[in-house]
C-alpha cells in the first residue's frame, strides 16, 4: 500500500517496469486477516551502490583538481553559434530551442545528437565533445539532458565524460536533470545550469534587455554631452563678458 500523500513526497517518480526497494511497516486488516506493507520510502534498486561510486569518483577527480576554479573559462556574452550535445528527440533540445527562438533568434544552433542514458551514452557524449573541439565551429557548448533517476543521469557521472569536458577548449555549460541534480559534469564544466532552459538563457541575452541597455546608454551619453556643452557655453559667455571683447577699441 502506497498512500498518495506519501507518493507525492517520494524522491523517485514511479513508472511501470522500475526495479525498486521499498521500506515500510507491516500492517494487518483484522476483518479479512489481510497483511499489507504500508510503504514509507522507495529507492531505485542499486542506487546505494551508485551513490557510493559517485562519492568515490567525486573525491578522486576533486583531488586531481578537475573542479578547481582556475580551469573555468568565461562564457562569451554574445555567442553567435551554440553547440548542443544532447538527445535529438528529448525534452532538453525542445526547451533550448524554445528559449533561444524567443530571446535570441539570431543565435545559430548546431545539434550533435547523442544517447543520454544507457551503457553507450558516455562514449557518444565524449565523441560529440571531441567533434566540436576538432572543428572549432561554435562559441560555446551546452552538454546535458532533462531529468531522470540517478541511473538515467549516470553517463554524466562517468570519468571519461568529465575528462573530455575538462580538456575541451570551448567553454562548456553543463545542464543535467533538474535543479536538485548535481552531476560530475556539472562540477567540472565551466558553468553549471540547473536546467537546459536556464543554459539557453545564459547564452542568449534577451533582445528586450539589450535594447533597454542601449536606450539607457544613449540617454546617459546625451546627458553627459549636454552637461559638457553647457559648461562650454558658460565658459564662452564668461569670455565674451571680458572688457577686451566688450570694448576692443580701448585696447
Amino acid at each position: 500500500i502506497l498512500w498518495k500523500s506519501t507518493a507525492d513526497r517520494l524522491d523517485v517518480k514511479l513508472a511501470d517496469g522500475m526495479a525498486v526497494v521499498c521500506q515500510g511497516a507491516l500492517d494487518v486488516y483484522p476483518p479479512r486477516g489481510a497483511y499489507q506493507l504500508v510503504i514509507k520510502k522507495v529507492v531505485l534498486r542499486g542506487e546505494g551502490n551508485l551513490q557510493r561510486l559517485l562519492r568515490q569518483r567525486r573525491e578522486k577527480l576533486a583531488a586531481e583538481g578537475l573542479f578547481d576554479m582556475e580551469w573555468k573559462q568565461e562564457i562569451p556574452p554574445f555567442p553567435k553559434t551554440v553547440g548542443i550535445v544532447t538527445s535529438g528527440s528529448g525534452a532538453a533540445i525542445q526547451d533550448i530551442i524554445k528559449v533561444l527562438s524567443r530571446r535570441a533568434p539570431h543565435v545559430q544552433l548546431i545539434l550533435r545528437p547523442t544517447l543520454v542514458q544507457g551503457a553507450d551514452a558516455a562514449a557518444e557524449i565524449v565523441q560529440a565533445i571531441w567533434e566540436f573541439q576538432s572543428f572549432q565551429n561554435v562559441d560555446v557548448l551546452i552538454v546535458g539532458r532533462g531529468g531522470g533517476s540517478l541511473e538515467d543521469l549516470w553517463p554524466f557521472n562517468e570519468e571519461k565524460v568529465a575528462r573530455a569536458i575538462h580538456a575541451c577548449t570551448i567553454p562548456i555549460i553543463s545542464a543535467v536533470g533538474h535543479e536538485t541534480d548535481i552531476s560530475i559534469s556539472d562540477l567540472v564544466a565551466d558553468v553549471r545550469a540547473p536546467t537546459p532552459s536556464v543554459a539557453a538563457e545564459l547564452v542568449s541575452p534577451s533582445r528586450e534587455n539589450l535594447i533597454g541597455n542601449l536606450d539607457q546608454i544613449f540617454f546617459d551619453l546625451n546627458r553627459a554631452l549636454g552637461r559638457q556643452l553647457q559648461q562650454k557655453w558658460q565658459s564662452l559667455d564668461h569670455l565674451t563678458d571680458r572688457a577686451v571683447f566688450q570694448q576692443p577699441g580701448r585696447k
Side-chain angles (χ1 to χ4, degrees):
I1 300 296
L2 176 62
W3 301 115
K4 183 178 185 303
S5 58
T6 304
D8 291 340
R9 295 193 300 270
L10 292 179
D11 294 329
V12 177
K13 185 177 180 182
L14 296 175
D16 290 342
M18 276 187 175
V20 297
V21 178
C22 298
Q23 178 181 348
L26 192 64
D27 194 14
V28 63
Y29 182 61
R32 291 203 307 266
Y35 287 88
Q36 57 194 22
L37 180 69
V38 181
I39 296 173
K40 301 296 183 184
K41 182 179 179 181
V42 178
V43 296
L44 292 171
R45 189 175 65 191
E47 187 159 3
N49 292 331
L50 288 180
Q51 289 284 9
R52 183 164 55 252
L53 178 59
L54 178 59
R55 184 182 67 255
Q56 293 170 351
R57 190 168 290 169
R58 279 187 180 181
E59 291 172 352
K60 174 186 176 182
L61 296 178
E64 293 183 29
L66 265 69
F67 305 154
D68 293 352
M69 291 301 299
E70 65 180 290
W71 304 113
K72 307 295 185 184
Q73 303 180 80
E74 293 288 336
I75 301 300
F78 304 107
K80 295 179 180 179
T81 307
V82 176
I84 314 293
V85 177
T86 190
S87 169
S89 58
I93 186 61
Q94 298 303 321
D95 291 343
I96 291 170
I97 291 172
K98 186 184 301 181
V99 171
L100 285 174
S101 62
R102 183 184 77 249
R103 290 171 58 91
H106 58 279
V107 174
Q108 181 185 11
L109 292 183
I110 299 178
L111 169 66
R112 169 46 163 96
T114 66
L115 295 172
V116 291
Q117 68 184 69
D120 299 325
E124 277 207 21
I125 294 166
V126 170
Q127 178 63 29
I129 292 172
W130 282 118
E131 286 176 9
F132 278 117
Q133 172 73 17
S134 298
F135 289 107
Q136 290 289 324
N137 54 352
V138 297
D139 302 309
V140 61
L141 277 178
I142 297 175
V143 178
R145 55 156 291 162
S149 67
L150 179 60
E151 289 173 318
D152 294 338
L153 305 181
W154 193 252
F156 297 92
N157 291 314
E158 292 285 3
E159 190 171 330
K160 64 178 74 173
V161 173
R163 296 193 183 280
I165 292 174
H166 183 259
C168 187
T169 60
I170 303 169
I172 292 181
I173 299 174
S174 176
V176 180
H178 300 303
E179 190 166 355
T180 55
D181 300 314
I182 300 179
S183 64
I184 287 178
S185 68
D186 290 335
L187 299 174
V188 74
D190 299 297
V191 172
R192 184 235 173 189
T195 65
S197 295
V198 174
E201 291 177 359
L202 291 174
V203 298
S204 60
S206 169
R207 286 180 301 175
E208 290 75 13
N209 291 342
L210 291 176
I211 292 172
N213 291 339
L214 287 172
D215 287 342
Q216 184 62 45
I217 291 170
F218 183 74
F219 174 79
D220 292 342
L221 282 172
N222 269 331
R223 186 169 56 180
L225 287 171
R227 283 198 301 265
Q228 289 190 31
L229 282 172
Q230 186 66 29
Q231 291 170 0
K232 299 302 182 184
W233 279 115
Q234 289 174 355
S235 297
L236 191 59
D237 288 342
H238 179 70
L239 285 173
T240 57
D241 287 340
R242 295 178 64 177
V244 68
F245 291 109
Q246 292 295 328
Q247 296 177 331
R250 293 181 59 184
K251 296 292 184 182

